[in-house]
Amino acid sequence: MSIRAKTIQIFLPSGDPQGIRQAEITTRIVRLIEVPRKLLKDFLAMPESAGGAVYFLFGEGEESAKPQVYIGQTGDLKKRLVKHQKEKDFWHRAVVMLSRADSLTTTHSLYLERLCIQRAKAAGRYTVENDTNGSKLNTTKPMEAECEELFETGESLMATLGFPLFEKPAPVGDAANLYFCTAAGADARAQYTAEGMAVLKGSKARGQVTDSFKDKGFHALRKQLEAAGVLEPAGDQLIFTEDYVFKSPSGAAAIVVGNNMNGWISWKNKDGKTLDAAVRQGPQA
């Protein structure tokens, strides 16, 4: 995503922030509409549900370490969403990508579907439920450039609505921005980001967990990470096969150490200063 100042407008048709939300950059033609599954009938009564679109179905798997997404495109959005309402169980919110100018052709939609699937898989934040990578098309360079521009707008709007589907975790910065957790034989590196604590690929977690940890919620998450291949056995340890963002420093430390931990104290920078001292007790603006 290009990083520059943007003005994004969010419209609440019912006035409810938890209801249907529309997001757009008013100078561009792309509009995203987020629809809670419970309010699908309300959306189907809106004129925006007629015609074609690229759409996304989001859900949280009961036994998945990552949220799930299904990405599709259709020339008849209303019919397709009704079908998914009957046949797909996992999703709880849909997001549709529309053209305010009704200018998305079938070729645009097919190209964007494939591009979205590829970028979502590359980012690795969500489990992509599609069986294929979308249709491969012979498109002109101008068409590809146009679709890339549409995608860029959609990417910004998607993240604004709370779905960072296409965003890779922040890249590793210099050593001053790294924190380490070496308790109980673990050897993990992480960054404290706006989203939480990002434990980095190659970090090593303790292979065993304490008895008191086994009845805690983080133990279930640890098992999910193992099942998803985010954590893989490496001798008597578990190794992170990819960067993984935890919502809190303590959650990250608990998974790494296999015990309940205060992450603000467990994570330390290269100088031995705790995350608490460096961030919470650090210089104030």
Side-chain angles (χ1 to χ4, degrees):
M1 182 191 302
S2 60
I3 305 299
R4 59 176 180 270
K6 299 179 179 71
T7 298
I8 293 176
Q9 177 177 288
I10 296 181
F11 174 60
L12 309 176
S14 69
D16 181 3
Q18 300 303 316
I20 294 173
R21 299 192 294 168
Q22 299 182 12
E24 61 186 55
I25 298 173
T26 55
T27 56
R28 303 185 188 179
I29 67 170
V30 173
R31 171 184 292 163
L32 261 61
I33 304 179
E34 177 189 359
V35 184
R37 187 167 187 163
K38 183 179 179 180
L39 300 179
L40 181 60
K41 184 177 179 180
D42 294 349
F43 173 67
L44 296 179
M46 295 169 58
E48 288 87 352
S49 68
V54 178
Y55 64 90
F56 308 80
L57 305 178
F58 290 98
E60 300 285 344
E62 294 291 336
E63 299 181 356
S64 175
K66 298 180 181 181
Q68 298 167 280
V69 65
Y70 177 86
I71 302 170
Q73 67 79 34
T74 178
D76 189 338
L77 180 60
K78 184 177 294 188
K79 181 178 179 180
R80 184 65 60 83
L81 290 179
V82 168
K83 178 180 174 65
H84 289 324
Q85 171 76 316
K86 295 177 180 178
E87 298 180 358
K88 290 190 180 297
D89 295 331
F90 78 92
W91 66 280
H92 59 81
R93 300 185 91 83
V95 176
V96 299
M97 182 189 294
L98 307 165
S99 166
R100 294 194 293 127
D102 295 324
S103 59
L104 286 184
T105 66
T106 300
T107 304
H108 283 103
S109 295
L110 287 168
Y111 187 94
L112 282 168
E113 176 193 43
R114 182 177 176 83
L115 181 61
C116 288
I117 293 172
Q118 290 176 338
R119 297 289 176 86
K121 287 183 175 181
R125 287 178 177 265
Y126 289 71
T127 299
V128 180
E129 296 296 324
N130 295 69
D131 295 328
T132 70
N133 290 324
S135 301
K136 188 173 183 179
L137 304 173
N138 292 320
T139 52
T140 64
K141 291 297 181 181
M143 169 71 79
E144 292 179 6
E146 185 178 1
C147 287
E148 288 283 352
E149 184 175 347
L150 295 172
F151 172 83
E152 180 184 330
T153 302
E155 179 184 22
S156 294
L157 296 175
M158 190 76 77
T160 300
L161 288 174
F163 303 97
L165 177 60
F166 306 113
E167 295 184 18
K168 293 183 178 181
V172 178
D174 57 67
N177 295 321
L178 290 178
Y179 291 87
F180 306 86
C181 182
T182 56
D187 184 13
R189 301 176 304 142
Q191 286 184 305
Y192 183 60
T193 74
E195 295 179 68
M197 205 70 183
V199 179
L200 304 178
K201 179 180 179 179
S203 292
K204 295 177 181 178
R206 180 186 179 194
Q208 302 297 317
V209 302
T210 64
D211 290 339
S212 61
F213 187 68
K214 291 179 180 179
D215 61 351
K216 305 299 181 183
F218 284 129
H219 184 239
L221 175 58
R222 200 173 198 257
K223 300 300 289 185
Q224 290 169 3
L225 291 172
E226 292 181 55
V230 177
L231 284 173
E232 290 189 348
D236 59 354
Q237 295 176 310
L238 297 173
I239 191 167
F240 280 80
T241 61
E242 59 186 76
D243 298 346
Y244 190 88
V245 181
F246 294 90
K247 294 180 180 179
S248 71
S250 293
I255 298 301
V256 165
V257 179
N259 196 5
N260 300 313
M261 305 291 290
N262 182 344
W264 291 97
I265 304 302
S266 303
W267 293 103
K268 300 177 182 180
N269 65 17
K270 63 182 179 63
D271 298 320
K273 183 180 290 188
T274 66
L275 182 64
D276 177 70
V279 176
R280 293 202 298 192
Q281 311 301 329
Q284 300 297 310

